[in-house]
């Protein structure tokens, strides 16, 4: 589907390898996190976390409950202001930027608890997402002449919106209010919505939680399709099998720190990881 | 009120337009009947209906402007009266003659259209001034800031030290508590050769209109007032169209998302603060224009026209109709004026005419005491004699009723789709059987 987004990410990477040196050495990295720290009162939820995400990869981010994964996402996307450290997106520092500015630069996230807009229909939800909509200018959506151009663009977007819903196989729900969707369908909607912003990098916070196995297969299939188109994914997931079977690299967090960052097979063997999970389970 | 008016509008052919028309016809029928019972003549009836329409229209204008802020974007503005005042005063000060006669106040002497646009811009700017710092804080702060600002504005216009003043050699004046003369109503120029004097000979149009309606017993001033009122009705339509366009557009979609879950909108790349500021400023500009159109029917304006109670009334109109719905705003304006604002006055006149009530007792105790001997007349007389307070109580009761039992207003909760095109229209695609090759 959405050719625009997929190829854009690839082109962007290509562009940056050509002009590479300009933005400094790690320019082509979609995401570079260094010493990220976030404290809630006395609790350090993220404690100097550092990691990279490679272009076009599907990277897993795992860790026991409360390890600081969601908080890391919040700090990267500007939902929370980190107390320390830095975040770079394609070499550009985005630390502490407001969420809309981060999203505008091509980094979009989904939420652990789906935040669908309940009183808007599914198609309305996804139509919200595309960037640079002409009609988001007040005067354009009001004045007769410019409004024609707005309507024209809305038609194009509507087409893309329907295609995206078809891609996620929720097009039969297009006119349903999002509040009436099942948990799994909400997750699909969130992902569809995030994709329509034409992102380069997607941070998915437990997109499979509450999704039934059939839908889970489908969703993973979609993620692989998109990755093949050049999107970069960072995926938080509790199901080890999913992580091991789908990610080429896994970052493990524990008590706010990154304790391992390796290929899935190596992670399985890692003493610290086993301890962290065992420790958390006792 | 048990039946949802929303279902009613679905059943009426013509939808919302028909619903609004039906409400107005019902009001006209009601007040027509009251007028006939009161024994009003043709002019009295025409002037009654004009008054109802006029106030219904101005409340509709202001409720629509408030709906944009509160209903669409959830911005809680309880300083509506202040923004109206800024609109009216700025317009008046821009258009007042530079060298007024004795007793007049100096202004900039600009043409009326410039004054009106200036008034709207000023209201929008004051709105931005209030909203810029407040929107950074929690939503409640905007409410506090706007309420305070509206009182500050009124007190400033009331202040003696600004009765006349000069900035950079230009003389200006607000008139203090005595108020300020307003420019001549341009509608007068349609009917009278000298717009400033109804005693002057009528124009050709005036001649024809006065002749036509005069034959039915309708006086000249009623004809002129009705014309002005019809202009207001056209403005209600314009406001309605404008706000429907705002709502049914990508801009309106973002507002809807902000009201539901602002973080979602922000996480999808929408700079929500800018959307809110723009919405707030547009709403304030429309409130300024609403104020100008309202007070434009008068020859002068004073700070007492902009007491906080006015904001309260506009909120009631909006809440009756249902915030979030433009149709609801218009209907709410009409019902508020008909049932709460003008209705009681007419009922009082009718009761006073039909039942000899005698002198109203001075105190509440004196009014209630005779109830012991089953004599309700003194209480009735007391109630009707204190109608202004009674109306206030009535408004409060209605407000409590709606907030308690129908928080979404008469029209119920409306979920209009925010888009400029029909989103259910699916792009054409060949059947799956053809190998799925698309384009
Ligand atoms: N708003 C907050 N205020 C205070 N503490 C918080 C807040 N949000 C998270 N925390 C704490 O920060 C720590 C990290 O939480 P976080 O949600 O990031 O973990 P997580 O790895 O996403 O866990 P899970 O797998 O359960 O989603 C936890 O101890 C949590 O209780
Ligand atoms: Mg989490």
């Amino acid at each position: 589907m959405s050719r625009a987004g997929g190829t854009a990410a690839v082109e962007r990477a290509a562009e940056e390898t050509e002009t590479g040196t300009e933005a400094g050495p790690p320019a082509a990295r979609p995401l570079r996190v260094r010493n990220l720290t976030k404290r809630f009162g006395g609790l350090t939820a993220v404690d100097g976390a550092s990691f990279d995400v490679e272009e076009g990869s599907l990277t897993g981010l795992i860790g026991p409950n409360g390890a600081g994964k969601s908080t890391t996402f919040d700090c990267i996307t500007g939902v929370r202001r980190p107390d320390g450290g830095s975040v770079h997106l394609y070499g550009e520092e985005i630390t502490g930027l407001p969420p809309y500015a981060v999203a505008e630069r091509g980094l979009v996230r989904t939420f652990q608890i789906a935040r669908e807009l309940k009183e808007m229909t599914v198609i309305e939800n996804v139509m919200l997402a595309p960037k640079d909509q002409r009609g988001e200018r007040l005067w354009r959506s009001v004045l007769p002449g410019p409004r024609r151009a707005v309507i024209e663009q809305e038609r194009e977007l509507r087409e893309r919106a329907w295609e995206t819903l078809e891609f996620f196989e929720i097009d039969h729900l297009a006119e349903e209010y999002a509040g009436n969707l099942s948990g799994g369908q909400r997750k699909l909607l969130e992902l569809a919505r995030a994709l329509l912003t034409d992102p380069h990098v997607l941070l998915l916070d437990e997109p499979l939680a509450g999704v039934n196995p059939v839908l889970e297969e489908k969703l993973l299939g979609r993620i692989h399709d998109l990755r093949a188109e050049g999107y970069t994914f960072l995926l938080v997931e509790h199901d080890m099998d999913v992580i091991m079977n789908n990610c080429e690299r896994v970052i493990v967090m524990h008590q706010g720190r990154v304790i391992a960052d390796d290929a899935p097979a190596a992670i399985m063997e890692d003493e610290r990881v086993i301890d962290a999970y065992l420790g958390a389970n006792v | 009120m048990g039946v949802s008016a929303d279902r009613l509008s679905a059943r009426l052919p013509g939808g919302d337009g028909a619903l609004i028309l039906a409400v107005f016809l019902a009001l006209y029928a009601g007040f027509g009947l009251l007028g006939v019972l009161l024994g009003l003549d043709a002019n009295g009836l025409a002037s009654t209906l004009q008054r109802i329409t006029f106030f219904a229209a101005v409340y509709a204008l202001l409720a629509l402007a408030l709906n944009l802020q509160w209903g669409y974007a959830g911005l809680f503005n309880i300083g509506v009266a202040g923004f109206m005042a800024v609109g009216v005063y700025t317009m008046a000060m821009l258009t007042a003659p530079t060298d007024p006669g004795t007793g007049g106040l100096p202004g900039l002497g600009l043409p009326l259209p410039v004054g009106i646009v200036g008034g709207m811009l000023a209201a929008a700017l004051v709105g931005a001034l209030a909203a810029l710092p407040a929107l950074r804080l929690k939503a409640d702060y905007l409410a506090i800031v706007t309420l305070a600002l509206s009182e500050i504005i009124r007190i400033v216009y009331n202040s003696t030290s600004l009765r006349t003043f000069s900035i950079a050699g230009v003389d200006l004046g607000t008139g203090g508590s005595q108020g300020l003369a307003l420019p001549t109503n341009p509608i007068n120029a349609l009917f009278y050769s000298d717009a400033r004097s109804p005693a002057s000979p009528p124009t050709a149009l005036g001649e024809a209109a006065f002749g036509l309606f005069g034959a039915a017993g309708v006086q000249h001033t009623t004809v002129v007032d009705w014309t002005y009122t019809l202009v207001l009705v056209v403005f209600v339509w314009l406001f309605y169209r404008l706000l429907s366009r705002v709502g049914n557009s990508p801009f309106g979609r973002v507002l809807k998302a902000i009201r539901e879950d602002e973080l979602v909108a922000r996480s999808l790349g929408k700079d929500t603060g800018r959307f809110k500021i723009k919405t707030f400023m547009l709403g304030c500009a429309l409130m300024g224009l609403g104020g100008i159109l309202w007070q434009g029917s008068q020859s002068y304006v004073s700070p007492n026209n902009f007491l906080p109670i006015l904001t309260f009334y506009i909120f009631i109109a909006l809440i009756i109709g249902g915030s979030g719905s433009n149709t609801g705003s218009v209907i709410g304006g009409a019902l508020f004026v008909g049932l709460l604002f003008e209705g009681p006055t007419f009922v009082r006149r009718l009761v006073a005419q039909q039942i000899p009530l005698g002198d109203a007792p001075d105190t509440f105790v004196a009014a209630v005491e005779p109830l012991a001997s089953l004599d309700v007349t003194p209480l009735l007389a007391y109630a009707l004699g204190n109608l202004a307070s009674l109306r206030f109580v009535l408004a409060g009761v209605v407000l409590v009723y709606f907030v308690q039992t129908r928080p979404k207003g008469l029209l119920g909760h409306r979920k209009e789709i925010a888009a400029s095109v029909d989103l259910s229209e699916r792009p054409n695609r060949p059947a799956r059987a053809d190998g799925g090759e698309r384009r």
Side-chain angles (χ1 to χ4, degrees), chain A residues 62 240 244 252 260 262-275:
Chain A
I62 64 170
M240 278 303 170
M244 296 305 151
V252 187
D262 215 328
I267 289 287
M268 291 292 261
E269 315 277 279
D270 195 302
E271 290 287 332
R272 285 163 304 175
V273 176
I274 295 165
D275 285 350

Coordinates of all heavy atoms in Angstrom, one line a residue, chain A residues 62 240 244 252 260 262-275:
Chain A
I62 N 12.3 -5.4 24.9 CA 11.6 -6.3 25.9 C 12.2 -6.0 27.3 O 13.1 -5.2 27.4 CB 11.8 -7.8 25.6 CG1 13.3 -8.2 25.7 CG2 11.3 -8.1 24.2 CD1 13.5 -9.7 25.7
M240 N 7.7 -13.8 24.1 CA 9.1 -14.1 23.7 C 9.1 -14.7 22.3 O 10.0 -14.4 21.5 CB 9.7 -15.0 24.7 CG 10.3 -14.3 25.9 SD 11.4 -13.0 25.4 CE 11.6 -12.2 26.9
M244 N 11.3 -13.5 19.3 CA 12.4 -14.4 18.8 C 12.2 -14.7 17.3 O 13.1 -14.8 16.5 CB 12.5 -15.7 19.6 CG 12.9 -15.4 21.0 SD 14.4 -14.5 21.1 CE 14.2 -13.7 22.7
V252 N 17.1 -5.4 25.5 CA 16.5 -5.8 26.8 C 16.7 -4.7 27.8 O 17.8 -4.3 28.1 CB 17.0 -7.1 27.3 CG1 16.2 -7.6 28.5 CG2 17.1 -8.2 26.2
A260 N 21.0 -5.7 27.7 CA 21.5 -6.5 26.6 C 20.9 -5.9 25.3 O 19.9 -5.3 25.3 CB 21.0 -7.9 26.8
D262 N 21.3 -7.5 21.4 CA 21.9 -8.5 20.6 C 20.9 -9.2 19.7 O 19.7 -8.9 19.7 CB 22.6 -9.5 21.5 CG 23.9 -10.0 20.9 OD1 24.0 -10.1 19.7 OD2 24.8 -10.3 21.7
A263 N 21.4 -10.2 18.9 CA 20.5 -11.0 18.1 C 19.7 -11.9 19.1 O 20.1 -12.2 20.2 CB 21.4 -11.9 17.2
P264 N 18.5 -12.3 18.6 CA 17.6 -13.1 19.5 C 18.2 -14.3 20.1 O 18.1 -14.5 21.3 CB 16.4 -13.5 18.6 CG 16.5 -12.5 17.4 CD 17.9 -12.0 17.3
A265 N 19.0 -15.1 19.3 CA 19.5 -16.3 19.8 C 20.5 -16.0 21.0 O 20.4 -16.7 22.0 CB 20.3 -17.0 18.7
A266 N 21.3 -15.0 20.8 CA 22.2 -14.6 21.9 C 21.5 -14.1 23.1 O 21.9 -14.4 24.3 CB 23.2 -13.5 21.4
I267 N 20.4 -13.4 22.9 CA 19.7 -12.9 24.1 C 19.1 -14.0 24.9 O 19.2 -13.9 26.2 CB 18.5 -12.0 23.5 CG1 19.0 -10.7 22.9 CG2 17.4 -11.8 24.6 CD1 19.4 -9.7 23.9
M268 N 18.7 -15.1 24.2 CA 18.1 -16.2 25.0 C 19.2 -16.8 25.9 O 18.8 -17.4 27.0 CB 17.7 -17.3 24.0 CG 16.5 -16.9 23.1 SD 15.0 -16.8 24.1 CE 14.3 -18.4 23.8
E269 N 20.4 -16.7 25.6 CA 21.5 -17.3 26.3 C 22.0 -16.4 27.4 O 22.7 -16.9 28.4 CB 22.7 -17.7 25.4 CG 22.3 -18.3 24.1 CD 22.1 -19.8 24.3 OE1 23.1 -20.6 24.3 OE2 20.9 -20.3 24.4
D270 N 21.7 -15.1 27.3 CA 22.4 -14.1 28.1 C 22.0 -14.3 29.6 O 20.8 -14.2 30.0 CB 21.9 -12.7 27.6 CG 22.8 -11.6 28.2 OD1 22.9 -11.5 29.4 OD2 23.4 -10.9 27.4
E271 N 23.0 -14.4 30.4 CA 22.8 -14.6 31.9 C 22.0 -13.5 32.5 O 21.0 -13.7 33.2 CB 24.1 -14.7 32.6 CG 25.0 -15.9 32.3 CD 24.4 -17.1 33.0 OE1 23.7 -16.9 34.1 OE2 24.5 -18.2 32.5
R272 N 22.4 -12.2 32.2 CA 21.7 -11.1 32.8 C 20.2 -11.1 32.5 O 19.4 -10.7 33.3 CB 22.4 -9.8 32.4 CG 23.7 -9.5 33.0 CD 24.5 -8.5 32.2 NE 24.6 -8.9 30.8 CZ 25.1 -8.2 29.8 NH1 25.6 -6.9 30.1 NH2 25.3 -8.6 28.6
V273 N 19.9 -11.4 31.2 CA 18.5 -11.4 30.8 C 17.7 -12.5 31.6 O 16.7 -12.2 32.1 CB 18.4 -11.6 29.3 CG1 17.0 -11.7 28.8 CG2 19.2 -10.5 28.5
I274 N 18.3 -13.6 31.6 CA 17.6 -14.7 32.3 C 17.4 -14.3 33.8 O 16.3 -14.5 34.3 CB 18.5 -16.0 32.2 CG1 18.5 -16.5 30.8 CG2 17.9 -17.1 33.1 CD1 19.5 -17.6 30.5
D275 N 18.5 -13.8 34.4 CA 18.3 -13.3 35.8 C 17.2 -12.3 35.9 O 16.4 -12.3 36.9 CB 19.7 -12.7 36.3 CG 20.7 -13.8 36.6 OD1 20.3 -14.9 36.6 OD2 21.9 -13.4 36.8

